[in-house]
């Protein structure tokens, strides 16, 4: 884990200068890169360090699985902008049970995967693209647990190298609070329309009456969402801000269910 954290620090210069691309060459690890995206970006994406300085830290993570990415973005990785480093995850055991050979001379589908991995790594190396290779014997609950533990510890160690707190998520909390604010505004504009007794209102009217004049775009998005789902009626105007919105009748509203 310490060596992995140091490799990240070397590749990104400790400032997130390069993205991390995860390429597991095993179908059963298809979701692993998505897990690492959440783990690493949520833990390391921080605006301030432990001393309160603005540092805007983080490492962008993306990936799928090696066999798919051969036909997705490997071309750019080899010949495009060198703004990344790759982590190959190699699994030695091809399958449970007997091998299935797809060509003469005992060539299996696992041999193809191994060839893709080795060939891609060599092709990137020839163009001075940096990579890390993690090799495991098999895919079992134990091995997946080892991979998760490895990356969790590497994240904590990398955070200590760049002097940030990996264990809080102020950005996530900010998103939740913003979502709560949108729902609060939705309640307010629905109340405004109810007080109008079926009379349609424009977004401007709703912004003024609900005292949310700074939130006019949010109000527009709310009205468009509710209209698209049959919970408001939209009367089109010459432009998007000329449209008027009104609530359905009481009988129609009674048919809405809360789940």
């Amino acid at each position: 884990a310490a060596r992995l954290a140091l490799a990240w620090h070397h590749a990104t210069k400790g400032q997130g200068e390069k993205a991390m691309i995860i390429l597991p060459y095993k179908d059963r690890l298809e979701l692993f890169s998505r897990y690492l995206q959440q783990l690493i970006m949520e833990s390391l994406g921080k605006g301030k360090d432990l001393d309160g300085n603005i540092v805007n830290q983080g490492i962008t993570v993306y990936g799928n699985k090696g066999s798919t990415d051969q036909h997705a973005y490997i071309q750019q990785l080899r010949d495009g902008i060198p703004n990344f480093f790759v982590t190959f995850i190699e699994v030695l055991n091809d399958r449970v049970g007997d091998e299935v050979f797809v060509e003469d001379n005992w060539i299996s589908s696992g041999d193809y995967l191994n060839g893709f991995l080795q060939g891609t790594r060599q092709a990137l190396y020839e163009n001075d693209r940096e990579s890390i290779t993690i090799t495991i014997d098999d895919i079992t609950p134990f091995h997946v647990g080892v991979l998760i533990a490895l990356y969790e510890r590497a994240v904590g160690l990398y955070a200590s190298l760049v002097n940030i707190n990996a264990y809080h998520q102020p950005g996530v909390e900010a998103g939740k609070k913003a979502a709560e604010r949108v729902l609060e505004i939705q309640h307010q504009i629905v109340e405004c329309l109810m007080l109008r007794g079926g009379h349609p209102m424009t977004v401007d009217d709703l912004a003024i009456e609900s005292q949310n004049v700074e939130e006019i775009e949010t109000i527009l998005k709310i009205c468009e969402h509710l209209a698209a789902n049959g919970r408001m009626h939209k009367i089109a105007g010459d432009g998007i801000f000329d449209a008027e919105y009104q609530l359905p009748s009481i009988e129609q509203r009674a048919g809405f269910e809360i789940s």
Side-chain angles (χ1 to χ4, degrees):
R3 292 202 301 270
L4 189 58
L6 287 169
W8 297 352
H9 194 274
H10 166 78
T12 66
K13 297 182 180 178
Q15 297 176 333
E17 290 187 1
K18 292 185 178 182
M20 180 190 304
I21 300 173
I22 308 295
L23 298 181
Y25 278 73
K26 196 71 169 178
D27 285 0
R28 294 173 69 188
L29 289 176
E30 181 177 5
L31 299 179
F32 190 64
S33 57
R34 302 181 196 179
Y35 162 72
L36 292 183
Q37 188 175 63
Q38 180 271 327
L39 169 69
I40 294 168
M41 295 180 70
E42 184 176 280
S43 301
L44 301 182
K46 301 296 160 60
K48 295 181 179 180
D49 65 14
L50 295 175
D51 301 318
N53 302 311
I54 301 294
V55 290
N56 300 124
Q57 275 287 354
I59 300 176
T60 301
V61 179
Y62 61 96
N64 191 355
K65 58 181 181 177
S67 55
T68 299
D69 291 334
Q70 295 293 135
H71 306 286
Y73 43 74
I74 293 297
Q75 171 61 37
Q76 177 168 317
L77 299 187
R78 185 182 188 278
D79 294 334
I81 303 170
N83 59 349
F84 65 91
F85 66 98
V86 174
T87 299
F88 295 99
I89 300 180
E90 177 185 28
V91 182
L92 296 179
N93 189 8
D94 290 339
R95 59 186 293 126
V96 176
D98 296 335
E99 284 276 17
V100 176
F101 299 110
V102 296
E103 284 190 15
D104 294 335
N105 298 320
W106 302 290
I107 300 297
S108 69
S109 57
D111 295 334
Y112 268 102
L113 273 183
N114 182 62
F116 280 141
L117 189 157
Q118 305 300 336
T120 301
R121 188 172 70 163
Q122 181 64 27
L124 295 179
Y125 173 76
E126 289 171 354
N127 262 22
D128 296 323
R129 270 49 173 174
E130 295 178 320
S131 71
I132 300 165
T133 301
I134 297 174
T135 302
I136 58 177
D137 293 329
D138 204 349
I139 296 296
T140 66
F142 171 79
H143 288 90
V144 173
V146 167
L147 283 174
I148 290 172
L150 170 68
Y151 274 90
E152 286 181 343
R153 284 154 178 76
V155 163
L157 291 167
Y158 181 89
S160 68
L161 291 174
V162 297
N163 195 37
I164 61 172
N165 182 355
Y167 305 108
H168 72 149
Q169 292 83 34
V172 175
E173 185 63 25
K176 292 178 180 177
K177 289 180 179 179
E180 291 174 359
R181 174 61 180 152
V182 171
L183 294 176
E184 179 184 341
I185 293 171
Q186 179 172 318
H187 282 301
Q188 292 171 352
I189 64 176
V190 168
E191 287 179 0
C192 288
L193 288 170
M194 291 180 68
L195 290 173
R196 283 294 189 100
H199 183 75
M201 299 176 69
T202 66
V203 169
D204 285 335
D205 294 335
L206 288 166
I208 293 170
E209 289 210 16
S210 67
Q211 299 181 355
N212 288 302
V213 292
E214 301 296 326
E215 304 281 2
I216 190 165
E217 183 179 5
T218 299
I219 293 172
L220 173 64
K221 292 293 186 183
I222 291 170
C223 289
E224 289 290 295
H225 171 75
L226 294 179
N229 288 277
R231 289 150 63 195
M232 273 189 185
H233 294 314
K234 178 181 178 180
I235 305 168
D238 294 333
I240 191 169
F241 286 99
D242 298 317
E244 294 181 313
Y245 301 89
Q246 62 185 165
L247 293 179
S249 66
I250 295 176
E251 291 78 11
Q252 290 171 319
R253 293 204 298 273
F256 296 149
E257 295 183 1
I258 298 176
S259 59

